[in-house]
Amino acid sequence: NEHAMTQAANDEQQSTKRMTMTGATMSQARRKVVEQIALTIREKKLASLSLISVRSDIGTSTLIRDVATVTGRAGVATLVIDLSGGRSDGSRSAGQPRWSLQGREGVPAKPVASGLGFDVISGSSGDEARAAFNDPQRVRSGLSAQFSSYSLILLDLPGLVDQASDQVNAVAAAAACDGAVLVCATGEEE
């Protein structure tokens, strides 16, 4: 509920638990953004939300992890599908588990508990993954069929400008969700 999500965000601020890859605790500004996203999810009854950025490495994966932590700790069964090339559990790895909506490569990878109140699946790049996420209707039906035990699915998508040709089409994948958040860097000039 709304109070539980707000309380979870407040608990995170008070906690000494590290919330970012760099080890810094959640800033007041980021906590407010996370809280607003979590409240919007609740108020709009979103079942899926994508976070997308203009370019990579501006904190989209960290932000999605923070939102997933708040919603997960508020009792919302939350799954993060990381298609950005990083891992939303805060680490990076090569050779991430491959999965597809149709399971063409055998049994799709199972979600892994993050230890932060939500589950994670790291997606893959390549023609098959790109094709699987190019059709918003196919993505929508595949997500609801494969991951029906989750109340909320968060897609962590690659940056638009520096997206590799074999990565998932971020705009097409975002179109499959109930909502999308465009994450922007502040204080920087291009």
Side-chain angles (χ1 to χ4, degrees):
N1 66 35
E2 184 175 331
H3 176 72
M5 285 187 192
T6 301
Q7 185 60 46
N10 288 335
D11 290 348
E12 286 306 309
Q13 181 188 23
Q14 301 300 322
S15 168
T16 57
K17 185 172 181 82
R18 305 285 181 183
M19 290 299 295
T20 66
M21 289 184 280
T22 61
T25 58
M26 191 185 307
S27 71
Q28 180 70 18
R30 192 165 86 225
R31 187 186 71 75
K32 185 172 183 166
V33 169
V34 168
E35 183 177 287
Q36 289 301 310
I37 293 170
L39 290 175
T40 299
I41 290 167
R42 162 109 171 90
E43 290 170 1
K44 301 292 183 184
K45 297 179 171 70
L46 301 180
S48 60
L49 180 72
S50 62
L51 273 75
I52 188 170
S53 62
V54 174
R55 62 181 175 80
S56 299
D57 296 328
I58 64 168
T60 306
S61 293
T62 300
L63 181 60
I64 206 164
R65 186 184 83 186
D66 292 344
V67 170
T69 299
V70 168
T71 58
R73 289 185 177 168
V76 177
T78 303
L79 173 66
V80 171
I81 299 177
D82 184 353
L83 299 168
S84 69
R87 290 185 37 179
S88 294
D89 65 1
S91 64
R92 298 214 174 245
S93 68
Q96 297 167 359
R98 294 180 61 88
W99 69 283
S100 71
L101 294 175
Q102 303 303 316
R104 279 182 263 163
E105 296 182 333
V107 178
K110 293 190 188 305
V112 176
S114 67
L116 297 172
F118 62 94
D119 294 343
V120 179
I121 287 183
S122 292
S124 61
S125 57
D127 292 338
E128 184 175 334
R130 188 167 173 80
F133 281 90
N134 236 359
D135 178 359
Q137 185 58 39
R138 180 177 168 199
V139 172
R140 201 173 295 118
S141 63
L143 290 176
S144 63
Q146 256 185 270
F147 305 114
S148 60
S149 63
Y150 293 95
S151 302
L152 176 63
I153 297 173
L154 300 171
L155 292 184
D156 186 2
L157 299 170
L160 297 172
V161 173
D162 52 1
Q163 179 175 323
S165 62
D166 69 339
Q167 281 184 308
V168 168
N169 180 335
V171 174
C177 293
D178 296 334
V181 174
L182 177 62
V183 179
C184 302
T186 59
E188 295 182 1
E189 293 184 28
E190 291 291 324

